[in-house]
Amino acid sequence: MNDNTRLALILLCGCAVVLVQMLPWLPWREIRPDLVLSVVILLGITAPLCRGAGLCWALGFLLERLSGIPPGTGQLFYLFFFLLIRLLQRFFQFQTVASAFALLCVGQVLKYGYFSFLFFVVYEYASLSEHFLMTWLFETLATLVVGPLLYAGLQRLTAETKDHLLAQYVIYHGRRLQ
Amino acid sequence: MLQFFARKKRLLFLLFLLALTLTLLARDTKRSRLPSFVDRFLLALFTPPLRITSKAFGTASLLWHRYLALVNTQRDNELLRSQRDTLLMENRLLQEQARENERLRDLLGFKQRHTFHMIPAEVIGQDPTSWFKSLIIDKGSDDHVVEGAAVITPEGVVGRILKVASSSAHVLLLIDVNSNIDAVVERTRARGIVVGTGSSRCRFSYALKTDDVVPGDRIVTSGLGGLFPSGMLLGTVVFVSNDKSGFFQHIELQPAVDFSKVKEVFIVLSGRITP
């Protein structure tokens, strides 16, 4: 599978994930995981910089146009998180599902800070504090349970093996050393 | 110059994405909206798969409830029959009162009330995030649904139409933080605005400290603005506090509708005056 096909497949999976999050009959109607975060992590680890960033932006855009989220909110977060993963890749290797779990934790913590800033400073939803914390907690728990499974599935589906990832890592760091 | 752009194209692309995102954010703080064709296109794109999955689940659920889970059917039937009899009697009384009301209004020379045309719709999707509260229904502009139209159930108000595609529409729920509905206390006619908090409860804002509001009071739509029929139940007051400084009371209400269980709704189309 070449890079473009793989990226198209990941984008398709991203759309499917958004669709799944919109289904009204799923058990997590109130406690909903952020499944797009797993797709962003996969893109952050495996996709080329520009195309990966573009896809993260597109997924954020899709999510927020189908939701009540103010425009720009989701895109900025996913783009920022994607770039952070790229930055962290300079220091760490992210090859296993456990590392994806760690990234999900980082993502959810960042989301707390980001949404706090947006909700309380930019949009001035001052009365939300208690509910905000509960929503974030439930979302984090659900994301940490479902996210790694989704990541593992996506990784398998897009034929990203450990060896492939390792080869990419070596190429990436080799380039940097040059 | 061209060499510079060629060398820095990745950085420039990222800066472009960032600038685009910040522009969208800045646009929203001024409460402006993206061209609606983008929303319409995306909503239309996602409607068929949502409709199919919703139908599939509906069929499975129907099979289960009609053929497999019939343990309490006999008891439910008896209960429903007795409830139906009571409601029929109540309905006759109310119809009689309504006719009397109309006659009296005629005698007093009052202007006739608005009547509203309603169409049923089915919920086929929900907000993909946990942070905002919205639903997707299977009726759109093909069925004359317009942005801002009220969405209700027999229990009470659900919300209003936010975006419309050809065969589906996005409903902003009453409990969403962006929702504001003009309302009155049914018992005392004290006015205020029901504001969503993003949680399962709403706030009844701008009720003066002198207004008589107690827990258990029903809050209904005022009918001002013409979107919602007047007297539609929004919720019941569950908490009242006068402690805070300022002119207004802190009032919380429990919405009449259980939003996690809404499957069918009615869309209130534009009101017309009865002759």
Side-chain angles (χ1 to χ4, degrees):
Chain A
M1 197 186 295
N2 68 28
D3 251 8
N4 286 335
T5 318
R6 206 170 53 76
L7 288 178
L9 190 60
I10 294 177
L11 180 65
L12 209 63
C13 291
C15 293
V17 155
V18 173
L19 183 74
V20 167
Q21 290 197 177
M22 288 170 74
L23 295 178
W25 44 269
L26 288 177
W28 56 67
R29 199 157 177 175
E30 292 301 318
I31 307 166
R32 213 168 313 153
D34 183 353
L35 300 176
V36 178
L37 209 57
S38 299
V39 183
V40 171
I41 290 172
L42 186 71
L43 284 169
I45 295 172
T46 63
L49 182 66
C50 285
R51 278 177 284 176
L55 287 184
C56 287
W57 190 91
L59 281 175
F61 182 77
L62 180 70
L63 192 73
E64 73 191 25
R65 295 326 299 167
L66 292 167
S67 150
I69 295 187
T73 313
Q75 296 149 53
L76 191 62
F77 175 72
Y78 291 129
L79 188 62
F80 173 71
F81 188 51
F82 171 83
L83 293 174
L84 183 77
I85 295 170
R86 302 297 298 210
L87 189 72
L88 288 174
Q89 266 189 311
R90 293 177 177 225
F91 310 105
F92 305 103
Q93 289 185 41
F94 300 118
Q95 294 171 18
T96 58
V97 176
S99 59
F101 181 82
L103 283 174
L104 282 172
C105 293
V106 173
Q108 282 300 122
V109 171
L110 284 175
K111 189 184 265 185
Y112 182 78
Y114 174 74
F115 273 82
S116 299
F117 174 76
L118 274 179
F119 276 34
F120 302 122
V121 180
V122 180
Y123 297 111
E124 297 170 1
Y125 297 144
S127 63
L128 277 171
S129 51
E130 192 186 326
H131 171 70
F132 177 85
L133 186 65
M134 293 310 290
T135 305
W136 178 79
L137 264 177
F138 284 139
E139 187 189 281
T140 303
L141 284 173
T143 305
L144 294 182
V145 171
V146 185
L149 300 173
L150 176 70
Y151 177 83
L154 286 174
Q155 205 181 29
R156 193 172 282 262
L157 187 72
T158 53
E160 278 297 341
T161 59
K162 263 188 187 177
D163 293 341
H164 184 108
L165 284 170
L166 191 63
Q168 263 200 343
Y169 181 80
V170 170
I171 291 166
Y172 180 73
H173 282 264
R175 270 189 201 150
R176 278 194 60 229
L177 286 173
Q178 281 167 17
Chain B
M1 191 68 173
L2 281 173
Q3 270 183 342
F4 171 80
F5 282 121
R7 217 171 42 239
K8 301 282 181 189
K9 65 181 178 190
R10 293 201 306 181
L11 181 69
L12 288 171
F13 178 71
L14 291 178
L15 285 175
F16 167 74
L17 282 183
L18 198 65
L20 193 61
T21 311
L22 291 175
T23 310
L24 285 171
L25 265 172
R27 276 168 61 93
D28 187 68
T29 52
K30 290 176 190 167
R31 295 282 174 243
S32 59
R33 303 194 65 78
L34 270 180
S36 61
F37 70 87
V38 178
D39 294 336
R40 282 181 186 199
F41 172 73
L42 288 175
L43 207 52
L45 195 71
F46 273 72
T47 302
L50 279 174
R51 208 186 280 258
I52 290 166
T53 45
S54 179
K55 282 266 186 262
F57 178 73
T59 311
S61 172
L62 212 65
L63 278 174
W64 171 259
H65 289 294
R66 280 199 183 162
Y67 301 105
L68 300 171
L70 297 173
V71 183
N72 296 322
T73 308
Q74 177 69 28
R75 201 188 60 197
D76 287 349
N77 260 341
E78 283 166 14
L79 188 71
L80 287 170
R81 274 203 190 101
S82 72
Q83 278 181 351
R84 188 202 61 178
D85 292 343
T86 317
L87 287 171
L88 272 174
M89 281 200 306
E90 199 178 315
N91 193 19
R92 275 183 212 125
L93 275 171
L94 288 172
Q95 276 179 359
E96 186 51 40
Q97 280 177 6
R99 278 193 288 271
E100 187 185 348
N101 191 309
E102 286 304 313
R103 277 199 306 275
L104 291 171
R105 286 178 75 88
D106 276 347
L107 284 173
L108 289 169
F110 277 17
K111 201 175 171 182
Q112 290 293 325
R113 283 202 184 105
H114 282 265
T115 56
F116 292 87
H117 174 55
M118 290 191 283
I119 54 164
E122 204 174 316
V123 175
I124 56 168
Q126 62 179 359
D127 199 295
T129 69
S130 330
W131 305 92
F132 292 86
K133 310 289 177 191
S134 63
L135 291 175
I136 294 168
I137 53 172
D138 67 345
K139 292 284 189 303
S141 54
D142 290 350
D143 306 282
H144 312 293
V145 176
V146 290
E147 283 182 16
V151 180
I152 58 176
T153 65
E155 286 81 34
V157 173
V158 174
R160 64 185 163 84
I161 301 286
L162 189 66
K163 304 167 190 170
V164 187
S166 57
S167 60
S168 59
H170 211 135
V171 182
L172 184 76
L173 296 185
L174 170 71
I175 50 174
D176 188 275
V177 285
N178 296 304
S179 169
N180 299 290
I181 297 173
D182 202 281
V184 292
V185 179
E186 195 178 48
R187 185 174 57 88
T188 60
R189 310 307 289 176
R191 273 193 68 187
I193 291 175
V194 171
V195 183
T197 61
S199 68
S200 58
R201 284 186 182 180
C202 298
R203 269 186 299 123
F204 184 58
S205 300
Y206 307 115
L208 293 170
K209 282 194 167 171
T210 50
D211 286 337
D212 177 18
V213 186
V214 292
D217 272 343
R218 284 153 56 98
I219 308 289
V220 296
T221 51
S222 68
L224 294 174
L227 285 180
F228 290 91
S230 63
M232 286 298 303
L233 184 63
L234 289 160
T236 310
V237 174
V238 287
F239 178 77
V240 182
S241 167
N242 267 320
D243 298 340
K244 286 184 181 170
S245 58
F247 297 111
F248 307 112
Q249 302 185 59
H250 175 77
I251 300 168
E252 287 180 13
L253 64 142
Q254 184 68 43
V257 177
D258 182 354
F259 295 100
S260 64
K261 289 177 183 162
V262 174
K263 284 181 179 170
E264 286 100 20
V265 294
F266 290 97
I267 306 160
V268 181
L269 300 181
S270 56
R272 56 191 162 80
I273 309 279
T274 50

